[in-house]
Amino acid sequence: MLILAPSDPILDALRTFSFDGAVTEEIERDGLRYFVNAFWTSAQRRAHSLHEVSYRACFKPQLPEFFIARLTAPGETVYDPFSGRGTTALQAALMGRRPAANDIFPLGALLCRPRLGPPTISAIAARLASLDLTGEAPAPDDPLLTFYHPDTLRQIVALRRHLLSREPDATDDWLRMVALNRLTGHSPGFFSVYTLPPNQAASVTAQRRINAQRSQKPPARDVKTLIFRKSKSLLTDGGPPPHPPALLTTGPAEATPGLADASVALIVTSPPFLDVVDYAGDNWLRGWFAGIDPDVPRAQHRTTSAWEAFVRACFTEFARVVRPGGFVAFEVGEVRGGKVLLERNVAAAMAGLPFDLLGVMVNRQSFTKTANCWGVGNNAGGTNTNRIVLARRRG
Ligand SMILES: C[S@@+](CC[C@H](N)C(=O)[O-])C[C@H]1O[C@@H](n2cnc3c(N)ncnc32)[C@H](O)[C@@H]1O
């Protein structure tokens, strides 16, 4: 695989980067050039409050911020083809860039859009006050009573009905986004009884087990109060500054006709890593609330060769939408206990496409020893380092 000439502005920026005095280690391994440092940590700067919604396998806002700041100018388009909660798009808007985001699951746009142009807290309060969430009592055998007190469930169902009954305006869009984030969780800030963290949803059967083990019954919660509280906290830092209008699409990253040729300056993204996360299972309850089918066929690849073919299809599409000289920052995790280093598959998938592979950045967390970056240590169980393949579209 291609290793670029050592002097390049972005690579020089990586080499000279220092946050806490640590210098960047530059390593060549199996034909790839790696840059290892603590490029972003939560200690550097708290992210904007609007980012605080949960999503499975989301990345920290500091990750897209790092690339947006160094590789784009205000007004340029920053795109995430696997947008999840929309971390890249929101960060782009916060930095005055044009946000573009796509996810195969419609939940992505529902979580992202309202935060790009939030309503005021007084508009939210007024809308909540105007809603009648009395609703009808749920049937005693409603399986959702495994999660919710009957009074809470009647409010949730009434809110859902309201949101599905008409084309949502910006305030309804916001209420739905916040409600989607309050549906389930493990504290009294959520509508449900104690359950899995908010970015996952237990099945009804699993929740029955959790309730029995903890001898718990769903407590009554006030839906409007919880939505208002979370809205206030999300809006602590205000909304994004003026930015070019967002482009949000829903569909496979491999085919995005909504994006014009050569229109994107930078992609910052994190695709599904093999079959590590079951997005359909995690999203069944949120899908129900939003009135969308959670069973969209999503990329879940069991073998690395199937995953590599999928990544190649994505990069073929990226070659169309990224302008010459534009960049792709493609984040992959360490999977299978560090035994599979997906950056190698990404490098192989790009072969023959019009991209120069600049290198692989490894964001070392303070607890990660360098040896562990190669799956050598005891880093088992999960995706412990951010590994970002950085590529530039050839001119
Ligand atoms: C690792 S998550 C991205 C998380 C995101 N970086 C964030 O901060 O929220 C991967 C996302 O890819 C989506 N996805 C899976 N297969 C896809 C495909 N073929 N095209 C587009 N999106 C897909 C999933 O729905 C999921 O939201």
Side-chain angles (χ1 to χ4, degrees):
M1 194 18 84
L2 177 72
I3 295 187
L4 270 206
S7 104
D8 181 275
I10 180 64
L11 297 189
D12 291 342
L14 299 186
R15 287 187 182 104
T16 52
F17 178 88
S18 185
F19 163 60
D20 54 6
V23 288
T24 301
E25 284 181 69
E26 190 169 341
I27 301 160
E28 274 185 40
R29 213 176 165 102
D30 299 326
L32 288 177
R33 185 185 295 269
Y34 286 85
F35 298 86
V36 184
N37 203 338
F39 290 106
W40 48 86
T41 71
S42 34
Q44 284 167 23
R45 188 145 60 82
R46 191 178 69 78
H48 194 281
S49 57
L50 274 171
H51 281 295
E52 293 296 319
V53 306
S54 275
Y55 196 81
R56 193 79 192 275
C58 62
F59 46 45
K60 288 194 178 95
Q62 287 87 353
L63 188 159
E65 182 185 24
F66 184 93
F67 297 104
I68 295 168
R70 287 167 178 79
L71 299 173
T72 66
E76 288 191 313
T77 301
V78 177
Y79 170 50
D80 186 345
F82 301 96
S83 67
R85 65 175 179 170
T87 316
T88 295
L90 176 58
Q91 191 58 39
L94 290 167
M95 296 168 79
R97 274 64 170 177
R98 178 180 198 214
N102 172 74
D103 199 283
I104 203 158
F105 195 42
L107 188 63
L110 300 186
L111 295 179
C112 179
R113 188 176 51 219
R115 290 178 295 137
L116 298 175
T120 60
I121 194 70
S122 48
I124 294 165
R127 179 63 49 84
L128 284 171
S130 76
L131 291 178
D132 175 7
L133 300 187
T134 322
E136 296 139 32
D141 60 349
D142 189 323
L144 291 179
L145 290 170
T146 325
F147 296 89
Y148 304 112
H149 186 280
D151 277 347
T152 315
L153 184 54
R154 73 159 81 194
Q155 297 169 58
I156 295 171
V157 170
L159 178 60
R160 176 178 187 267
R161 194 169 300 148
H162 163 75
L163 294 172
L164 294 177
S165 68
R166 61 182 200 189
E167 196 53 45
D169 63 6
T171 310
D172 277 352
D173 219 21
W174 175 272
L175 295 187
R176 178 174 49 199
M177 180 275 297
V178 177
L180 284 166
N181 281 284
R182 298 292 94 190
L183 280 180
T184 54
H186 40 209
S187 79
F190 295 93
F191 303 159
S192 71
V193 68
Y194 180 98
T195 178
L196 296 181
N199 53 11
Q200 297 169 55
S203 66
V204 171
T205 314
Q207 187 59 33
R208 283 204 183 105
R209 248 191 330 262
I210 296 173
N211 290 353
Q213 272 160 8
R214 297 173 59 92
S215 310
Q216 63 179 17
K217 271 188 163 171
R221 309 266 200 233
D222 188 66
V223 164
K224 288 186 185 181
T225 305
L226 295 185
I227 291 181
F228 183 72
R229 216 176 272 161
K230 179 65 181 174
S231 299
K232 254 180 98 175
S233 136
L234 281 168
L235 291 169
T236 309
D237 299 334
H243 57 85
L247 179 67
L248 303 183
T249 59
T250 298
E254 309 90 295
T256 49
L259 277 148
D261 293 358
S263 58
V264 170
L266 168 68
I267 289 178
V268 185
T269 197
S270 161
F273 311 147
L274 298 173
D275 53 0
V276 170
V277 175
D278 170 15
Y279 291 99
D282 286 343
N283 287 319
W284 72 269
L285 195 49
R286 286 189 280 189
W288 164 78
F289 184 78
I292 52 185
D293 178 4
D295 255 334
V296 176
R298 248 148 306 165
Q300 273 209 320
H301 301 98
R302 293 233 148 74
T303 64
T304 44
S305 58
W307 189 81
E308 200 174 296
F310 158 69
V311 171
R312 184 171 179 78
C314 293
F315 269 86
T316 305
E317 182 68 344
F318 299 167
R320 182 184 72 75
V321 301
V322 177
R323 67 163 165 75
F327 292 86
V328 180
F330 198 79
E331 195 254 336
V332 292
E334 237 172 50
V335 295
R336 313 276 196 252
K339 291 198 182 66
V340 176
L341 299 175
L342 290 175
E343 65 270 20
R344 296 181 187 173
N345 303 90
V346 178
M350 283 165 52
L353 296 176
F355 285 102
D356 288 326
L357 180 61
L358 299 176
V360 181
M361 288 171 66
V362 179
N363 186 47
R364 186 169 43 201
Q365 328 248 353
S366 47
F367 54 82
T368 317
K369 294 201 190 97
T370 303
N372 287 347
C373 296
W374 318 106
V376 179
N378 56 352
N379 227 5
T383 57
N384 291 316
T385 52
N386 296 128
R387 317 167 78 83
I388 296 101
V389 179
L390 188 60
R392 184 172 42 211
R393 175 76 166 85
R394 256 179 240 135

